[in-house]
Amino acid sequence: MNIQFAPTDLPLSRRLQTASVLQWVFSFLGLAPSCIVLFFVLMFTRFWLISVLYACWWFIDWETPSKGGNRVHFLSNLRVWDYMRDYFPVKLVKTADLDPRQNYILGFHPHGVLVAGAFINFCTYATGFRKLFPGLDSFLLMLPLWFRAPFFRDYIMMAGLIPSDKESASYLLRRQGGGNAVVIAVGGAPEALDARPGAFIIQLANKKGFVKLAMEHGAHLVPVFSFGENELFDQVENPRGTWIRLIQDKLQSIMGISLPLFHARGIFQYSYGIMPYRKPINTVVGRPIRVEKNEKPTVDELDALHQLYTEELSQLFEEHKGKYGVPEDQHLSFV
């Protein structure tokens, strides 16, 4: 395999962009297990009191993730996220106003491998979410598993992440006065297994829980499509029915997380590694779908709203795909 090394005379800004993405990749892939190991290792050193005190704090603070988390605006506004934005680069595109007096569920598609577009757009202020949608606070849902990791749970809560369970989302959606935007990567972990360049496979056909949640709270639905999300990593071929995919699906059903075998570029070379490619991400926020509160929707009512959402997402994709290099004959494939 020929290795293409990065030039040695790259400007400092490019180096800082790479460093910012490297710390983000490590945060998602390695920080949680590192924090768990640190917690237990400290208990067998002279610094054992740190783990004991944290355990007490953890017990007291156990319900915080399901009650809106503990966002620190200073952290979301750090310069490091500007460098991460410019690495790809990432752009947030607004197509309609969102009334800050309402609560919203933003359906994010596609999941991609590491949900890069959702993180940079809705967990940081680098792409101007608060300026584009004044009066709204965004909260990205993440697997509850990660909120069981000591130290790491506090870090992700400070970035506006909350557990992806009904209790956590409902807490925000029933807040009076509106102003809350709950962002859900609807395809979830299974969709990550189909994330590869040129793929437009959207797991939505049987995903109706977020629609029911919107109806129960009268939260408006907003389709969001992130063009370029699937272009960031290559992935080992894993068609449905192959032994690789069967193992991945089985592990996902057991652990709740998917294990895509992905690769892209390295830090100092462009040929192989787990750093994402420098591909543009354009996250387009669609028009809101008005939802009337209905605490006990019938199956027909749920199906009708789900169908409307699917049509709006498809229309959003068709209206904007030409701007971002998607072939005219390419359409979304719903599974």
Side-chain angles (χ1 to χ4, degrees), residues 225-250:
F225 196 88
S226 192
F227 291 90
E229 192 73 36
N230 282 347
E231 307 299 315
L232 306 184
F233 297 95
D234 290 314
Q235 190 172 162
V236 173
E237 290 296 327
N238 59 342
R240 287 176 171 80
T242 61
W243 66 269
I244 292 179
R245 187 57 173 263
L246 291 174
I247 293 174
Q248 289 176 320
D249 288 339
K250 185 63 175 180

Side-chain angles (χ1 to χ4, degrees), residues 29-305:
L29 301 181
L31 187 56
S34 298
C35 287
I36 295 172
V37 171
L38 176 63
F39 177 79
F40 286 105
V41 168
L42 286 175
M43 294 183 68
F44 298 96
T45 70
R46 59 178 178 170
F47 302 107
W48 59 270
L49 187 59
I50 294 176
S51 291
V52 172
L53 291 176
Y54 184 84
C56 295
W57 162 251
W58 195 358
F59 177 78
I60 296 171
D61 196 56
W62 184 262
E63 297 295 332
T64 298
S66 61
K67 296 185 182 301
N70 188 24
R71 188 168 206 157
V72 176
H73 295 287
F74 170 77
L75 181 65
S76 297
N77 209 33
L78 289 176
R79 183 66 186 279
V80 65
W81 308 125
D82 293 337
Y83 286 118
M84 182 178 172
R85 174 200 63 204
D86 296 337
Y87 174 92
F88 296 99
V90 182
K91 183 179 181 181
L92 185 64
V93 180
K94 172 183 176 180
T95 63
D97 291 329
L98 298 182
D99 187 348
R101 295 172 296 180
Q102 301 290 335
N103 289 322
Y104 299 89
I105 292 180
L106 276 60
F108 183 88
H109 311 270
H111 182 284
V113 172
L114 295 180
V115 211
F119 178 84
I120 196 67
N121 282 305
F122 304 115
C123 293
T124 82
Y125 301 148
T127 57
F129 177 85
R130 293 203 301 174
K131 293 180 180 178
L132 291 173
F133 304 103
L136 285 183
D137 287 321
S138 56
F139 300 86
L140 178 62
L141 269 61
M142 189 177 189
L143 286 174
L145 169 70
W146 302 119
F147 294 87
R148 300 294 180 257
F151 306 122
F152 182 72
R153 67 186 289 275
D154 301 277
Y155 171 68
I156 57 179
M157 278 196 294
M158 287 191 292
L161 288 149
I162 62 172
S164 56
D165 54 43
K166 184 175 181 179
E167 179 185 359
S168 302
S170 295
Y171 178 85
L172 295 169
L173 295 176
R174 62 172 172 257
R175 280 182 176 176
Q176 298 298 316
N180 300 289
V182 174
V183 184
I184 303 175
V186 178
E191 194 173 83
L193 298 176
D194 292 316
R196 54 175 46 85
F200 293 93
I201 300 173
I202 305 298
Q203 295 218 11
L204 183 60
N206 296 315
K207 301 285 187 176
K208 299 180 181 180
F210 75 104
V211 176
K212 184 177 181 181
L213 187 65
M215 297 180 76
E216 290 174 345
H217 296 280
H220 297 347
L221 286 168
V222 182
V224 178
F225 196 88
S226 192
F227 291 90
E229 192 73 36
N230 282 347
E231 307 299 315
L232 306 184
F233 297 95
D234 290 314
Q235 190 172 162
V236 173
E237 290 296 327
N238 59 342
R240 287 176 171 80
T242 61
W243 66 269
I244 292 179
R245 187 57 173 263
L246 291 174
I247 293 174
Q248 289 176 320
D249 288 339
K250 185 63 175 180
L251 290 174
Q252 192 275 321
S253 65
I254 295 173
M255 300 186 300
I257 60 174
S258 61
L259 298 173
L261 302 176
F262 65 92
H263 59 89
R265 51 159 289 183
I267 302 172
F268 302 111
Q269 46 79 23
Y270 301 144
S271 301
Y272 203 84
I274 59 171
M275 288 284 289
Y277 294 122
R278 285 180 178 264
K279 298 287 187 179
I281 302 174
N282 293 281
T283 304
V284 184
V285 181
R287 297 178 292 271
I289 301 171
R290 184 176 179 81
V291 179
E292 296 294 338
K293 187 173 182 178
N294 182 354
E295 296 183 356
K296 294 183 179 180
T298 65
V299 173
D300 289 342
E301 291 171 334
L302 183 61
D303 289 344
L305 183 56

